[in-house]
């Protein structure tokens, strides 16, 4: 009696973690780190742009909205393209577009042209984030999947949120003084972000394509080559290297990634059709509110602090120190990705975010309380966001995982684009307390939405999406 062929998920789980996994994580995270810089650069440079280009709170919010809507477009298009042509190629292309946008932003003569260049940058950033999450989710064994995907946000967003403001302080401060940049200091802050991205673009030539995507396209030999690279820890196979035959046509049939072939039109519809519709809507609403709340606070915080009498550099410094709390939130999320259910983390952290932002609104008077309460708020903000990023790619089968993840992440960016417009109007019209009150309501709505999302913690992707007949799991 022949034994049942192992599925691709079982094969990947059997390989464990190797040097290739860690190098792939490092390269994807490095790209994400600089792109988080790009997302936050408008906030960090807000007071400088207000001074040099006459950009007030509403105009700054509009620039942020334009950038984030471009991220949405880049993410949705990128997710769809990645499901067709592969994750690895899209990562490299997105990074090249992002680099171009950064350099063009540095040369913008006015706020209108700056908005156009932010569109270019956003297109690259959007593709990078959604596909990076999908790439790591598919490449990593089940046991470590939550940790690896959450580490992407831990390092890129947690560390990035702190370093983005530190970077801005250095460039508009000591660096600008050393080269006599004067009024052009903000241009250097944009332009220099294009330099390290070029290096990552070349390194990404050595990333393997995910076996799940290759198998979904019926590429058996390429799948075996990718699995061999993962198993041996080699980024590239040389001529003469043995390729282990992990899968053939029979074992491929046992894998969820090989179960379906859909047209592009079917792919577009499937994430909003049963059985995926409920999870898409519920986590999409959660992401919309999470990013909207975060960007409302992050974008306006330096301006709020300036209105309280702090200097431009002082406001950026305080915001930077507050955002250091995000690193702790991401670190907790990395542990939570390994040990705690997704629903528990998101719902409880969202409630704590609401409480902490109200505490900031009521009690943040004086340097110590502004720093401490802002710090605590950022812990819960990044705990929520990181877990949503981890959750999204787990909700979809391979055939639509890139697109489904892009829909969730970029629904979040729509919230980040639109809700700060409301917040900035509230800030200018009725004051900062109402901004924080609305943000608290957003987090409570987020906690409720998360209750309707299926739990995926430490469940193999193929079991989640119905290919393992022994479990009877449904997609």
């Amino acid at each position: 009696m022949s034994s049942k062929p192992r599925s691709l998920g079982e094969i990947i789980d059997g390989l464990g973690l190797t040097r290739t996994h860690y190098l792939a994580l490092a390269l994807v995270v490095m790209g994400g780190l600089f792109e988080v810089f790009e997302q936050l650069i408008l906030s960090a440079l807000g007071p400088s742009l207000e001074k040099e280009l006459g950009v007030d709170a509403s105009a700054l919010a509009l620039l942020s909205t334009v950038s984030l809507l471009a991220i949405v477009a880049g993410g949705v298009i990128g997710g769809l393209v990645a499901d067709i042509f592969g994750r690895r190629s899209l990562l490299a292309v997105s990074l090249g577009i992002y680099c171009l946008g950064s350099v063009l932003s540095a040369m913008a003569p006015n706020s209108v042209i700056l908005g156009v260049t932010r569109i270019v940058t956003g297109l690259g950033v959007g593709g990078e984030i959604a596909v990076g999450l999908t790439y790591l989710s598919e490449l990593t064994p089940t046991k470590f999947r939550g940790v690896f995907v959450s580490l992407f946000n831990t390092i890129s967003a947690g560390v990035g949120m702190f370093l983005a403001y530190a970077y801005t302080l250095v460039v508009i401060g000591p660096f600008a003084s050393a080269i006599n940049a004067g009024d052009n200091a903000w241009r250097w802050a944009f332009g220099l972000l294009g330099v390290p991205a070029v290096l990552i673009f070349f390194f990404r030539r050595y990333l393997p394509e995910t076996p799940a995507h290759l198998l979904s396209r019926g590429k058996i030999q390429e799948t075996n080559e990718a699995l061999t690279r993962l198993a041996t820890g080699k980024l590239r196979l040389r001529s003469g290297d043995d390729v282990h035959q992990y899968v053939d046509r029979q074992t491929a049939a046992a894998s969820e990634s090989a179960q379906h072939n859909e047209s592009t039109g079917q792919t577009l519809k499937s994430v909003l059709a049963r059985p995926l519709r409920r999870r898409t809507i519920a986590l999409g609403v959660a992401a919309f509110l999470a990013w909207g709340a975060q960007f409302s606070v992050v974008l306006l915080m330096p301006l709020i602090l300036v209105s309280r009498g702090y200097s431009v550099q002082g406001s950026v410094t305080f915001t930077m120190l507050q955002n250091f709390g995000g690193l702790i939130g991401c670190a907790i999320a990395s542990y939570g990705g390994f040990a705690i259910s997704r629903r528990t983390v998101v719902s409880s952290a969202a409630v704590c975010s609401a409480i902490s932002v109200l505490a900031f609104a009521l009690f943040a008077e004086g340097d110590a309380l502004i720093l401490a309460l802002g710090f605590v708020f950022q812990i819960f903000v990044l705990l929520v966001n990181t877990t949503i990023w981890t959750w999204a790619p787990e909700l979809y089968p391979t055939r639509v995982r890139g697109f489904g993840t892009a829909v969730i992440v970029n629904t979040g960016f729509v919230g980040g684009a639109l809700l700060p417009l409301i917040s900035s109007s509230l800030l200018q019209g009725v004051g900062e307390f109402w901004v924080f009150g609305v943000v608290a309501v957003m987090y409570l709505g987020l906690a409720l939405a998360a209750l309707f999302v299926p739990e995926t913690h430490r469940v193999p992707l193929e079991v989640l999406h119905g290919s393992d007949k022994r479990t009877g799991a449904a997609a």
Side-chain angles (χ1 to χ4, degrees), residues 12 290 296 346 425:
I12 291 176
S296 291
V346 171
S425 297

Side-chain angles (χ1 to χ4, degrees), residues 383-467:
L383 180 54
V384 169
N385 290 7
T386 301
T387 306
I388 289 176
W389 280 25
T390 303
W391 211 350
E394 297 174 342
L395 296 175
Y396 299 97
T398 301
R399 68 189 188 277
V400 293
R401 184 168 293 127
F403 181 70
T405 302
V407 168
I408 297 297
V409 171
N410 291 288
T411 298
F413 283 127
V414 171
L418 299 180
L419 295 181
L421 292 175
I422 298 173
S423 299
S424 64
S425 297
L426 288 172
L427 178 64
Q428 292 182 318
V430 294
E432 64 185 63
F433 177 82
W434 290 99
V435 174
F436 295 125
V438 169
V439 167
V441 172
M442 292 180 198
Y443 277 112
L444 293 177
L446 187 166
L448 180 62
L451 299 178
F452 295 92
V453 184
E455 187 53 66
T456 60
H457 177 239
R458 299 193 74 170
V459 182
L461 293 177
E462 295 184 353
V463 174
L464 285 169
H465 302 295
S467 66

Side-chain angles (χ1 to χ4, degrees), residues 30-80:
M30 286 173 68
L33 179 66
F34 292 110
E35 283 158 9
V36 167
F37 275 35
E38 279 294 346
Q39 293 176 53
L40 296 176
I41 195 70
L42 286 176
S43 171
L45 290 176
S48 295
L49 294 175
E50 185 175 37
K51 177 182 177 183
E52 302 301 332
L53 296 182
V55 176
D56 60 14
S58 295
L60 184 65
L62 183 59
L63 276 174
S64 178
T65 295
V66 168
S67 299
L68 289 170
L69 290 178
I71 288 175
V72 171
V76 172
I77 295 170
L80 183 60

Side-chain angles (χ1 to χ4, degrees), residues 68 80 131 135 162 171 195 212 222 256 258 267 289 301 303 321 330 340 351 374 387 403 418 425 428 452 465:
L68 289 170
L80 183 60
V131 179
Y135 182 82
F162 177 78
V171 173
V195 175
E222 290 89 339
E256 74 79 18
T267 297
L289 295 172
M301 184 61 73
L303 296 178
L321 293 175
C330 287
I340 307 172
V351 172
T387 306
F403 181 70
L418 299 180
S425 297
Q428 292 182 318
F452 295 92
H465 302 295

Side-chain angles (χ1 to χ4, degrees), residues 214-235:
L214 293 170
L215 195 61
S216 73
R217 295 292 160 179
K219 298 179 179 180
I220 302 299
Q221 183 59 23
E222 290 89 339
T223 302
N224 284 319
E225 290 175 359
L227 288 168
T228 300
R229 291 168 68 181
L230 289 175
T232 60
K234 294 181 178 180
L235 286 185

Side-chain angles (χ1 to χ4, degrees), residues 156-211:
S156 63
V159 176
M161 286 186 71
F162 177 78
L163 291 182
Y165 291 95
Y167 163 80
T168 305
L169 282 173
V170 170
V171 173
I172 67 176
F175 179 83
S177 298
I179 64 170
N180 295 317
D183 294 342
N184 291 319
W186 64 272
R187 298 184 185 277
W188 284 95
F190 279 121
L192 290 174
L193 289 180
V195 175
V198 175
L199 299 177
I200 303 167
F201 179 83
F202 289 106
F203 279 123
R204 285 201 172 150
R205 293 181 302 169
Y206 300 99
L207 289 177
E209 182 55 83
T210 68

